[in-house]
Amino acid sequence: MRFGSIILFVALCSFTAYYIYEPIPEEIEERWKLMLTNSFFRSLSNLADLSELLGLKDYMGVMYFITLAEKVVPVSDEHVKVTEEKFDGVEVVLYQPKQRGGETELRRAVIYLHGGGWCLGSSRMSPYDLLARTIVTKLGAVVLSVEYRLAPAHHFPVPYEDVYHVVKHFLQKGVLAQYSVDPGRIAVSGDSAGGNLAAAVSQQLQREPGQQVQLKAQALIYPVLQALDLNTPSYQQNQDMPILPRTLMVRFWSEYFTSDKALFRAMMANTHNNPESSRLLKFVNWSAFLPETYHRKYNYSAPAVVQGVGGEAVGMDVPSRAFADPRASPLLVPDSALRSLPKAYVLT
């Protein structure tokens, strides 16, 4: 009996080690912390798949637990004044430096858009709350964190439109004066899907001739910028990456557009383009932009193009032109459109 217990214990330990261990590069700091975090993400993802298969709850509904687990109630502290408001009907969390007596100087501002694949995340999550407070205290800036609506309950372009309405409202001179913000020192920033939204809204503002107050800078933190080619070298390199493997990134893209699983399958196979969107593939042909020495082992292969009917991608409940819409894929514009944009810092 005791020998059997030992065997069971050793087997359990071996299975746990096998499940948790990932071959992570040595230069990554806190590798075991990353492995443990990733094992939690994989377990939740597997549970989400099972839940959806059984018809209990959709995949993203289960994955939303990550957001709920990190949620906090943003409150003011000795350095930062925090208020929850609505700008043009969209919820925002506003972080402001607490003014000292007699202080009248205008402050810079950062509009921050959280990540989460357009399906997860919240401005009220602990990491984003901490980031906003850090920006306020380090820069003396006003931080506007946007609680845009999420897919799959609200597909594209709803999350983008929420962000656009908030930014347009905030950039009114009267509103900026209310929060003592310098109209010439306003940046937009976001991580991952938030970086996508930041880049997209920057382009939209630049295209509007009547927009008086323009953004000064963009800070795009590992932004996702195009939906046409989902088999670029970075998608291949990170296919089995901890936290965000290619399968989950493709799932975020498909859920952003539609809940039709046909699109997810087509995007996984990189066969979701039609003749209309294929005209823009030249903007994501990385082999044409990178010198030969940077190609390494990768060879460019243009995504397959399928025929659509009536503007719909075959078998998919989503207009194929949505993939090529610069509000969803802000990289898909001519260089002339990019040159006029605010200066951009891009972190990868």
Side-chain angles (χ1 to χ4, degrees):
M1 185 70 178
R2 185 178 178 185
F3 181 69
S5 299
I6 292 173
I7 291 177
L8 182 62
F9 177 73
V10 170
L12 184 62
C13 290
S14 300
F15 174 78
T16 302
Y18 174 79
Y19 188 78
I20 293 175
Y21 181 78
E22 293 275 346
I24 295 171
E26 292 289 339
E27 60 268 24
I28 300 293
E29 296 180 4
E30 299 186 275
R31 293 167 69 235
W32 279 103
K33 183 178 180 181
L34 179 57
M35 290 180 201
L36 288 167
T37 304
N38 184 54
S39 64
F40 167 76
F41 271 76
R42 280 191 291 122
S43 299
L44 188 62
S45 180
N46 292 335
L47 180 63
D49 280 327
L50 179 62
S51 173
E52 188 167 78
L53 183 65
L54 297 175
L56 301 176
K57 198 171 184 65
D58 66 90
Y59 180 89
M60 289 301 172
V62 176
M63 294 298 288
Y64 193 73
F65 172 79
I66 298 166
T67 303
L68 295 176
E70 290 274 15
K71 272 206 171 182
V72 296
V73 178
V75 294
S76 301
D77 59 32
E78 59 180 321
H79 302 294
V80 183
K81 177 185 176 183
V82 183
T83 55
E84 298 183 67
E85 304 182 27
K86 281 195 175 184
F87 281 8
D88 201 7
V90 181
E91 293 181 16
V92 300
V93 183
L94 202 65
Y95 297 80
Q96 302 175 73
K98 283 195 173 175
Q99 286 186 314
R100 291 177 282 274
E103 190 177 1
T104 58
E105 185 179 355
L106 293 179
R107 302 170 295 203
R108 70 193 94 183
V110 177
I111 302 167
Y112 196 86
L113 310 171
H114 69 79
W118 308 281
C119 301
L120 310 176
S122 168
S123 58
R124 298 183 178 95
M125 287 177 70
S126 177
Y128 293 116
D129 179 67
L130 177 60
L131 177 61
R133 292 174 193 276
T134 302
I135 294 172
V136 171
T137 53
K138 296 285 187 182
L139 299 181
V142 172
V143 176
L144 176 63
S145 196
V146 185
E147 189 73 356
Y148 57 88
R149 286 173 290 176
L150 301 174
H154 305 282
H155 295 299
F156 172 82
V158 173
Y160 165 81
E161 289 176 341
D162 280 358
V163 169
Y164 173 73
H165 289 312
V166 167
V167 174
K168 284 285 288 184
H169 178 88
F170 186 62
L171 293 185
Q172 296 176 90
K173 290 184 177 180
V175 176
L176 296 176
Q178 181 183 344
Y179 298 107
S180 301
V181 171
D182 184 342
R185 302 176 76 196
I186 304 168
V188 65
S189 181
D191 61 289
S192 194
N196 166 284
L197 295 167
V201 79
S202 295
Q203 288 186 19
Q204 182 65 35
L205 290 172
Q206 203 71 22
R207 287 193 290 266
E208 296 180 356
Q211 181 62 39
Q212 292 184 315
V213 178
Q214 287 286 351
L215 298 167
K216 182 71 173 178
Q218 309 170 73
L220 312 178
I221 304 170
Y222 43 85
V224 52
L225 297 174
Q226 60 86 22
L228 296 192
D229 187 355
L230 303 183
N231 199 39
T232 59
S234 60
Y235 273 98
Q236 295 177 48
Q237 288 170 10
N238 296 288
Q239 178 148 344
D240 300 309
M241 197 66 174
I243 311 298
L244 188 63
R246 179 177 181 269
T247 306
L248 182 54
M249 187 62 241
V250 172
R251 185 137 197 175
F252 281 141
W253 264 125
S254 67
E255 294 277 4
Y256 188 30
F257 292 120
T258 178
S259 295
D260 185 349
K261 296 302 181 285
L263 178 59
F264 173 65
R265 293 190 292 271
M267 283 185 151
M268 282 298 295
N270 213 27
T271 58
H272 56 287
N273 285 286
N274 79 340
E276 183 179 355
S277 63
S278 68
R279 294 198 302 269
L280 297 173
L281 285 172
K282 61 184 178 180
F283 292 123
V284 294
N285 180 356
W286 55 269
S287 66
F289 301 122
L290 286 178
E292 189 73 33
T293 52
Y294 288 96
H295 288 194
R296 297 199 217 166
K297 63 180 181 180
Y298 301 99
N299 296 310
Y300 178 71
S301 177
V305 178
V306 296
Q307 294 297 322
V309 180
E312 302 292 315
V314 173
M316 296 175 244
D317 181 26
V318 58
S320 54
R321 60 183 175 273
F323 310 140
D325 191 323
R327 297 174 302 169
S329 298
L331 193 65
L332 306 182
V333 295
D335 287 355
S336 57
L338 296 175
R339 289 192 189 103
S340 62
L341 292 173
K343 288 185 178 181
Y345 169 83
V346 182
L347 183 149
T348 65

